[in-house]
Amino acid sequence: MADLPRCRLATWADVDGWADRVAAEVRARSAVPGTIVGLTRGGWVPARLLCDRLGVRRLVSLRAQHWGVTATPTGAAQLTEGLSGPVTGQQVLVVDDITDTGESMALAVDHVRAGGPSRVESAVFLHITHAAFAPTYFAEEIPRDAWVWVVFPWNYWEDLIALSARAVEFGSGIDRVRATLRERCGLNVPRSDLEKIAPNVPFG
Ligand code: AMP
């Protein structure tokens, strides 16, 4: 039977609040960075929002891969594409959406350090307390025994398709899948959203 994780649906209002909190913390504790590194893909929107709030004009990308589609681990994290620009002599803030195992952020920070910056800090919106890496800044902590898969707004359709495809194994049809997502994942999804993904999911 398919593995269906408990989920938490994050809203754009949550995201705004997390970005405000992290930006305020950075301003309170440190000099504003000259460069933000956004981990692709999850860290791109958070990185851009922090650029806006902190007035940072230089945004560089770095690609880390760890998880497959929606809560499916694929083994150890890897950096699969390097920095899109140099960080030598820069005060750098590395940004991702969440630290779960923490492997992606740990690898990214090491990689940035090797590029000769004058300072490296890290920031995420959510930090799960079992993560092997503690970021410098986070907006909210999730206790390890309250682990959930967070469905961020920038991943909503991808997650919905992946979860629905697995939910079909518990019973077919849009209404049955909708009930399974509610009961097993804790996700309340409008029926119209499931209708939209019908071309991508074998609802039966
Ligand atoms: P990790 O290396 O395990 O700390 O996580 C790497 C990336 O996987 C994160 O930046 C997220 O994009 C994604 N991810 C990991 N765990 C979760 C989770 N519990 N909820 C949502 N996304 C996650």
Side-chain angles (χ1 to χ4, degrees):
M1 206 44 109
D3 192 19
L4 279 171
R6 295 304 294 175
C7 294
R8 168 175 169 188
L9 194 59
T11 65
W12 285 111
D14 293 327
V15 168
D16 253 343
W18 294 328
D20 284 345
R21 228 168 296 155
V22 171
E25 275 279 300
V26 172
R27 282 191 188 282
R29 285 170 47 188
S30 205
V32 165
T35 295
I36 287 184
V37 171
L39 297 196
T40 164
R41 293 179 295 162
W44 271 22
V45 175
R48 184 63 185 87
L49 294 176
L50 289 174
C51 281
D52 188 31
R53 280 162 174 79
L54 295 170
V56 174
R57 298 192 65 82
R58 187 152 186 273
L59 176 56
V60 165
S61 131
L62 176 61
R63 184 174 189 202
Q65 276 181 289
H66 188 179
W67 294 78
V69 174
T70 309
T72 315
T74 55
Q78 297 177 51
L79 295 181
T80 52
E81 281 170 42
L83 286 163
S84 62
V87 291
T88 320
Q90 291 283 309
Q91 297 194 322
V92 178
L93 183 67
V94 185
V95 177
D96 204 356
D97 48 5
I98 183 167
T99 31
D100 186 336
T101 66
E103 285 181 35
S104 305
M105 189 55 107
L107 280 178
V109 164
D110 278 353
H111 184 71
V112 169
R113 264 204 193 107
S118 61
R119 186 191 71 198
V120 185
E121 292 183 321
S122 53
V124 293
F125 285 170
L126 300 172
H127 174 55
I128 303 186
T129 52
H130 63 186
F133 180 93
T136 322
Y137 308 100
F138 55 84
E140 209 182 287
E141 207 167 20
I142 299 176
R144 73 165 72 199
D145 53 6
W147 185 94
V148 283
W149 183 261
V150 182
V151 179
F152 292 103
W154 45 86
N155 223 59
Y156 178 73
W157 295 104
E158 184 174 312
D159 282 339
L160 193 57
I161 289 169
L163 293 168
S164 299
R166 289 181 223 166
V168 167
E169 290 188 32
F170 294 84
S172 57
I174 284 190
D175 291 315
R176 183 73 200 100
V177 165
R178 193 163 168 241
T180 300
L181 292 176
R182 193 173 50 243
E183 287 154 17
R184 294 186 176 261
C185 304
L187 278 182
N188 276 314
V189 178
R191 194 181 197 284
S192 55
D193 284 358
L194 295 180
E195 286 163 4
K196 267 189 212 157
I197 62 168
N200 306 91
V201 178
F203 281 117

PDB file of all heavy atoms in Angstrom, residues 164-190:
ATOM      1  N   SER A 164      -2.244  12.362  -4.641  1.00  0.00           N
ATOM      2  CA  SER A 164      -3.497  11.801  -5.176  1.00  0.00           C
ATOM      3  C   SER A 164      -3.222  10.480  -5.892  1.00  0.00           C
ATOM      4  O   SER A 164      -4.000   9.523  -5.773  1.00  0.00           O
ATOM      5  CB  SER A 164      -4.155  12.780  -6.155  1.00  0.00           C
ATOM      6  OG  SER A 164      -4.474  13.971  -5.495  1.00  0.00           O
ATOM      7  N   ALA A 165      -2.112  10.419  -6.627  1.00  0.00           N
ATOM      8  CA  ALA A 165      -1.771   9.185  -7.345  1.00  0.00           C
ATOM      9  C   ALA A 165      -1.587   8.039  -6.352  1.00  0.00           C
ATOM     10  O   ALA A 165      -1.945   6.892  -6.631  1.00  0.00           O
ATOM     11  CB  ALA A 165      -0.508   9.395  -8.170  1.00  0.00           C
ATOM     12  N   ARG A 166      -1.057   8.357  -5.169  1.00  0.00           N
ATOM     13  CA  ARG A 166      -0.895   7.304  -4.149  1.00  0.00           C
ATOM     14  C   ARG A 166      -2.227   7.012  -3.452  1.00  0.00           C
ATOM     15  O   ARG A 166      -2.510   5.876  -3.087  1.00  0.00           O
ATOM     16  CB  ARG A 166       0.126   7.745  -3.105  1.00  0.00           C
ATOM     17  CG  ARG A 166       1.538   7.749  -3.645  1.00  0.00           C
ATOM     18  CD  ARG A 166       2.503   8.174  -2.563  1.00  0.00           C
ATOM     19  NE  ARG A 166       3.476   9.097  -3.096  1.00  0.00           N
ATOM     20  CZ  ARG A 166       4.271   9.850  -2.359  1.00  0.00           C
ATOM     21  NH1 ARG A 166       4.216   9.793  -1.060  1.00  0.00           N
ATOM     22  NH2 ARG A 166       5.140  10.657  -2.926  1.00  0.00           N
ATOM     23  N   ALA A 167      -3.033   8.069  -3.269  1.00  0.00           N
ATOM     24  CA  ALA A 167      -4.310   7.901  -2.555  1.00  0.00           C
ATOM     25  C   ALA A 167      -5.273   6.999  -3.329  1.00  0.00           C
ATOM     26  O   ALA A 167      -6.112   6.323  -2.730  1.00  0.00           O
ATOM     27  CB  ALA A 167      -4.943   9.268  -2.300  1.00  0.00           C
ATOM     28  N   VAL A 168      -5.106   6.956  -4.658  1.00  0.00           N
ATOM     29  CA  VAL A 168      -5.981   6.119  -5.495  1.00  0.00           C
ATOM     30  C   VAL A 168      -5.918   4.648  -5.049  1.00  0.00           C
ATOM     31  O   VAL A 168      -6.891   3.906  -5.139  1.00  0.00           O
ATOM     32  CB  VAL A 168      -5.580   6.262  -6.989  1.00  0.00           C
ATOM     33  CG1 VAL A 168      -6.236   5.202  -7.842  1.00  0.00           C
ATOM     34  CG2 VAL A 168      -5.930   7.653  -7.497  1.00  0.00           C
ATOM     35  N   GLU A 169      -4.768   4.240  -4.513  1.00  0.00           N
ATOM     36  CA  GLU A 169      -4.617   2.844  -4.077  1.00  0.00           C
ATOM     37  C   GLU A 169      -5.553   2.495  -2.917  1.00  0.00           C
ATOM     38  O   GLU A 169      -5.809   1.332  -2.639  1.00  0.00           O
ATOM     39  CB  GLU A 169      -3.170   2.587  -3.642  1.00  0.00           C
ATOM     40  CG  GLU A 169      -2.195   2.589  -4.801  1.00  0.00           C
ATOM     41  CD  GLU A 169      -0.810   2.147  -4.370  1.00  0.00           C
ATOM     42  OE1 GLU A 169      -0.697   1.311  -3.452  1.00  0.00           O
ATOM     43  OE2 GLU A 169       0.171   2.667  -4.937  1.00  0.00           O
ATOM     44  N   PHE A 170      -6.038   3.526  -2.209  1.00  0.00           N
ATOM     45  CA  PHE A 170      -6.957   3.281  -1.086  1.00  0.00           C
ATOM     46  C   PHE A 170      -8.412   3.310  -1.539  1.00  0.00           C
ATOM     47  O   PHE A 170      -9.320   3.126  -0.739  1.00  0.00           O
ATOM     48  CB  PHE A 170      -6.735   4.336   0.015  1.00  0.00           C
ATOM     49  CG  PHE A 170      -5.383   4.233   0.657  1.00  0.00           C
ATOM     50  CD1 PHE A 170      -4.270   4.847   0.079  1.00  0.00           C
ATOM     51  CD2 PHE A 170      -5.203   3.508   1.832  1.00  0.00           C
ATOM     52  CE1 PHE A 170      -3.017   4.744   0.665  1.00  0.00           C
ATOM     53  CE2 PHE A 170      -3.951   3.406   2.420  1.00  0.00           C
ATOM     54  CZ  PHE A 170      -2.848   4.025   1.836  1.00  0.00           C
ATOM     55  N   GLY A 171      -8.626   3.571  -2.806  1.00  0.00           N
ATOM     56  CA  GLY A 171      -9.982   3.623  -3.344  1.00  0.00           C
ATOM     57  C   GLY A 171     -10.039   4.650  -4.458  1.00  0.00           C
ATOM     58  O   GLY A 171      -9.467   5.727  -4.321  1.00  0.00           O
ATOM     59  N   SER A 172     -10.705   4.273  -5.566  1.00  0.00           N
ATOM     60  CA  SER A 172     -10.672   5.152  -6.742  1.00  0.00           C
ATOM     61  C   SER A 172     -11.831   6.143  -6.760  1.00  0.00           C
ATOM     62  O   SER A 172     -12.767   6.056  -5.963  1.00  0.00           O
ATOM     63  CB  SER A 172     -10.657   4.304  -8.013  1.00  0.00           C
ATOM     64  OG  SER A 172     -11.782   3.472  -7.998  1.00  0.00           O
ATOM     65  N   GLY A 173     -11.704   7.094  -7.658  1.00  0.00           N
ATOM     66  CA  GLY A 173     -12.739   8.139  -7.789  1.00  0.00           C
ATOM     67  C   GLY A 173     -12.324   9.395  -7.036  1.00  0.00           C
ATOM     68  O   GLY A 173     -11.703   9.317  -5.977  1.00  0.00           O
ATOM     69  N   ILE A 174     -12.676  10.543  -7.622  1.00  0.00           N
ATOM     70  CA  ILE A 174     -12.248  11.818  -7.042  1.00  0.00           C
ATOM     71  C   ILE A 174     -12.735  11.991  -5.592  1.00  0.00           C
ATOM     72  O   ILE A 174     -11.975  12.401  -4.716  1.00  0.00           O
ATOM     73  CB  ILE A 174     -12.727  13.000  -7.926  1.00  0.00           C
ATOM     74  CG1 ILE A 174     -11.848  13.091  -9.175  1.00  0.00           C
ATOM     75  CG2 ILE A 174     -12.684  14.322  -7.153  1.00  0.00           C
ATOM     76  CD1 ILE A 174     -12.046  14.327 -10.016  1.00  0.00           C
ATOM     77  N   ASP A 175     -13.975  11.604  -5.318  1.00  0.00           N
ATOM     78  CA  ASP A 175     -14.499  11.832  -3.961  1.00  0.00           C
ATOM     79  C   ASP A 175     -13.820  10.929  -2.940  1.00  0.00           C
ATOM     80  O   ASP A 175     -13.534  11.349  -1.815  1.00  0.00           O
ATOM     81  CB  ASP A 175     -16.016  11.656  -3.944  1.00  0.00           C
ATOM     82  CG  ASP A 175     -16.680  12.791  -4.727  1.00  0.00           C
ATOM     83  OD1 ASP A 175     -16.279  13.952  -4.517  1.00  0.00           O
ATOM     84  OD2 ASP A 175     -17.541  12.511  -5.574  1.00  0.00           O
ATOM     85  N   ARG A 176     -13.534   9.695  -3.354  1.00  0.00           N
ATOM     86  CA  ARG A 176     -12.834   8.761  -2.444  1.00  0.00           C
ATOM     87  C   ARG A 176     -11.413   9.269  -2.180  1.00  0.00           C
ATOM     88  O   ARG A 176     -10.928   9.263  -1.050  1.00  0.00           O
ATOM     89  CB  ARG A 176     -12.805   7.358  -3.088  1.00  0.00           C
ATOM     90  CG  ARG A 176     -12.189   6.308  -2.229  1.00  0.00           C
ATOM     91  CD  ARG A 176     -13.107   5.915  -1.056  1.00  0.00           C
ATOM     92  NE  ARG A 176     -12.349   5.275   0.008  1.00  0.00           N
ATOM     93  CZ  ARG A 176     -11.935   5.898   1.125  1.00  0.00           C
ATOM     94  NH1 ARG A 176     -12.229   7.145   1.343  1.00  0.00           N
ATOM     95  NH2 ARG A 176     -11.248   5.244   2.024  1.00  0.00           N
ATOM     96  N   VAL A 177     -10.733   9.731  -3.238  1.00  0.00           N
ATOM     97  CA  VAL A 177      -9.366  10.247  -3.084  1.00  0.00           C
ATOM     98  C   VAL A 177      -9.376  11.472  -2.168  1.00  0.00           C
ATOM     99  O   VAL A 177      -8.528  11.627  -1.290  1.00  0.00           O
ATOM    100  CB  VAL A 177      -8.749  10.581  -4.463  1.00  0.00           C
ATOM    101  CG1 VAL A 177      -7.498  11.439  -4.337  1.00  0.00           C
ATOM    102  CG2 VAL A 177      -8.425   9.286  -5.211  1.00  0.00           C
ATOM    103  N   ARG A 178     -10.367  12.307  -2.353  1.00  0.00           N
ATOM    104  CA  ARG A 178     -10.483  13.517  -1.524  1.00  0.00           C
ATOM    105  C   ARG A 178     -10.619  13.128  -0.037  1.00  0.00           C
ATOM    106  O   ARG A 178      -9.978  13.714   0.838  1.00  0.00           O
ATOM    107  CB  ARG A 178     -11.700  14.309  -1.997  1.00  0.00           C
ATOM    108  CG  ARG A 178     -11.737  15.680  -1.437  1.00  0.00           C
ATOM    109  CD  ARG A 178     -12.698  16.561  -2.217  1.00  0.00           C
ATOM    110  NE  ARG A 178     -12.916  17.777  -1.469  1.00  0.00           N
ATOM    111  CZ  ARG A 178     -14.089  18.185  -1.015  1.00  0.00           C
ATOM    112  NH1 ARG A 178     -15.184  17.504  -1.262  1.00  0.00           N
ATOM    113  NH2 ARG A 178     -14.169  19.289  -0.318  1.00  0.00           N
ATOM    114  N   ALA A 179     -11.421  12.093   0.208  1.00  0.00           N
ATOM    115  CA  ALA A 179     -11.602  11.635   1.597  1.00  0.00           C
ATOM    116  C   ALA A 179     -10.307  11.027   2.127  1.00  0.00           C
ATOM    117  O   ALA A 179      -9.928  11.263   3.284  1.00  0.00           O
ATOM    118  CB  ALA A 179     -12.742  10.622   1.653  1.00  0.00           C
ATOM    119  N   THR A 180      -9.609  10.277   1.294  1.00  0.00           N
ATOM    120  CA  THR A 180      -8.334   9.669   1.737  1.00  0.00           C
ATOM    121  C   THR A 180      -7.312  10.747   2.084  1.00  0.00           C
ATOM    122  O   THR A 180      -6.601  10.654   3.081  1.00  0.00           O
ATOM    123  CB  THR A 180      -7.776   8.737   0.631  1.00  0.00           C
ATOM    124  OG1 THR A 180      -8.738   7.723   0.380  1.00  0.00           O
ATOM    125  CG2 THR A 180      -6.454   8.109   1.029  1.00  0.00           C
ATOM    126  N   LEU A 181      -7.238  11.785   1.251  1.00  0.00           N
ATOM    127  CA  LEU A 181      -6.284  12.876   1.525  1.00  0.00           C
ATOM    128  C   LEU A 181      -6.629  13.550   2.855  1.00  0.00           C
ATOM    129  O   LEU A 181      -5.736  13.929   3.622  1.00  0.00           O
ATOM    130  CB  LEU A 181      -6.299  13.909   0.395  1.00  0.00           C
ATOM    131  CG  LEU A 181      -5.746  13.439  -0.955  1.00  0.00           C
ATOM    132  CD1 LEU A 181      -5.900  14.535  -2.014  1.00  0.00           C
ATOM    133  CD2 LEU A 181      -4.277  13.024  -0.845  1.00  0.00           C
ATOM    134  N   ARG A 182      -7.932  13.647   3.130  1.00  0.00           N
ATOM    135  CA  ARG A 182      -8.353  14.289   4.381  1.00  0.00           C
ATOM    136  C   ARG A 182      -8.013  13.390   5.574  1.00  0.00           C
ATOM    137  O   ARG A 182      -7.395  13.818   6.549  1.00  0.00           O
ATOM    138  CB  ARG A 182      -9.850  14.582   4.324  1.00  0.00           C
ATOM    139  CG  ARG A 182     -10.323  15.514   5.428  1.00  0.00           C
ATOM    140  CD  ARG A 182     -11.758  15.935   5.265  1.00  0.00           C
ATOM    141  NE  ARG A 182     -12.632  14.793   5.046  1.00  0.00           N
ATOM    142  CZ  ARG A 182     -13.347  14.572   3.937  1.00  0.00           C
ATOM    143  NH1 ARG A 182     -13.317  15.418   2.940  1.00  0.00           N
ATOM    144  NH2 ARG A 182     -14.111  13.504   3.816  1.00  0.00           N
ATOM    145  N   GLU A 183      -8.363  12.102   5.448  1.00  0.00           N
ATOM    146  CA  GLU A 183      -8.217  11.197   6.588  1.00  0.00           C
ATOM    147  C   GLU A 183      -6.757  10.830   6.854  1.00  0.00           C
ATOM    148  O   GLU A 183      -6.320  10.798   7.992  1.00  0.00           O
ATOM    149  CB  GLU A 183      -9.005   9.902   6.325  1.00  0.00           C
ATOM    150  CG  GLU A 183     -10.511  10.104   6.428  1.00  0.00           C
ATOM    151  CD  GLU A 183     -11.299   9.094   5.590  1.00  0.00           C
ATOM    152  OE1 GLU A 183     -10.721   8.050   5.198  1.00  0.00           O
ATOM    153  OE2 GLU A 183     -12.489   9.384   5.317  1.00  0.00           O
ATOM    154  N   ARG A 184      -6.015  10.529   5.803  1.00  0.00           N
ATOM    155  CA  ARG A 184      -4.654  10.024   6.006  1.00  0.00           C
ATOM    156  C   ARG A 184      -3.591  11.111   6.023  1.00  0.00           C
ATOM    157  O   ARG A 184      -2.581  10.988   6.700  1.00  0.00           O
ATOM    158  CB  ARG A 184      -4.294   8.979   4.942  1.00  0.00           C
ATOM    159  CG  ARG A 184      -5.131   7.741   5.089  1.00  0.00           C
ATOM    160  CD  ARG A 184      -4.711   6.638   4.155  1.00  0.00           C
ATOM    161  NE  ARG A 184      -5.518   5.469   4.444  1.00  0.00           N
ATOM    162  CZ  ARG A 184      -5.111   4.438   5.192  1.00  0.00           C
ATOM    163  NH1 ARG A 184      -3.897   4.418   5.683  1.00  0.00           N
ATOM    164  NH2 ARG A 184      -5.927   3.415   5.413  1.00  0.00           N
ATOM    165  N   CYS A 185      -3.797  12.176   5.222  1.00  0.00           N
ATOM    166  CA  CYS A 185      -2.769  13.226   5.145  1.00  0.00           C
ATOM    167  C   CYS A 185      -3.154  14.459   5.962  1.00  0.00           C
ATOM    168  O   CYS A 185      -2.314  15.328   6.197  1.00  0.00           O
ATOM    169  CB  CYS A 185      -2.548  13.672   3.700  1.00  0.00           C
ATOM    170  SG  CYS A 185      -2.131  12.341   2.583  1.00  0.00           S
ATOM    171  N   GLY A 186      -4.426  14.551   6.333  1.00  0.00           N
ATOM    172  CA  GLY A 186      -4.870  15.755   7.038  1.00  0.00           C
ATOM    173  C   GLY A 186      -5.022  16.943   6.102  1.00  0.00           C
ATOM    174  O   GLY A 186      -4.956  18.090   6.530  1.00  0.00           O
ATOM    175  N   LEU A 187      -5.219  16.656   4.808  1.00  0.00           N
ATOM    176  CA  LEU A 187      -5.326  17.734   3.807  1.00  0.00           C
ATOM    177  C   LEU A 187      -6.769  17.920   3.366  1.00  0.00           C
ATOM    178  O   LEU A 187      -7.393  16.965   2.887  1.00  0.00           O
ATOM    179  CB  LEU A 187      -4.521  17.374   2.553  1.00  0.00           C
ATOM    180  CG  LEU A 187      -3.027  17.621   2.536  1.00  0.00           C
ATOM    181  CD1 LEU A 187      -2.469  17.234   1.177  1.00  0.00           C
ATOM    182  CD2 LEU A 187      -2.699  19.071   2.864  1.00  0.00           C
ATOM    183  N   ASN A 188      -7.264  19.128   3.505  1.00  0.00           N
ATOM    184  CA  ASN A 188      -8.604  19.443   2.997  1.00  0.00           C
ATOM    185  C   ASN A 188      -8.453  20.138   1.658  1.00  0.00           C
ATOM    186  O   ASN A 188      -8.040  21.293   1.604  1.00  0.00           O
ATOM    187  CB  ASN A 188      -9.336  20.368   3.962  1.00  0.00           C
ATOM    188  CG  ASN A 188      -9.996  19.568   5.053  1.00  0.00           C
ATOM    189  OD1 ASN A 188     -10.644  18.550   4.779  1.00  0.00           O
ATOM    190  ND2 ASN A 188      -9.814  19.989   6.289  1.00  0.00           N
ATOM    191  N   VAL A 189      -8.775  19.428   0.603  1.00  0.00           N
ATOM    192  CA  VAL A 189      -8.530  19.941  -0.747  1.00  0.00           C
ATOM    193  C   VAL A 189      -9.870  20.189  -1.431  1.00  0.00           C
ATOM    194  O   VAL A 189     -10.753  19.321  -1.404  1.00  0.00           O
ATOM    195  CB  VAL A 189      -7.735  18.885  -1.551  1.00  0.00           C
ATOM    196  CG1 VAL A 189      -7.512  19.343  -2.960  1.00  0.00           C
ATOM    197  CG2 VAL A 189      -6.412  18.591  -0.874  1.00  0.00           C
ATOM    198  N   PRO A 190     -10.062  21.358  -2.054  1.00  0.00           N
ATOM    199  CA  PRO A 190     -11.314  21.576  -2.776  1.00  0.00           C
ATOM    200  C   PRO A 190     -11.467  20.552  -3.907  1.00  0.00           C
ATOM    201  O   PRO A 190     -10.487  20.201  -4.567  1.00  0.00           O
ATOM    202  CB  PRO A 190     -11.154  22.988  -3.370  1.00  0.00           C
ATOM    203  CG  PRO A 190      -9.985  23.598  -2.692  1.00  0.00           C
ATOM    204  CD  PRO A 190      -9.133  22.496  -2.160  1.00  0.00           C
TER     205      PRO A 190
END
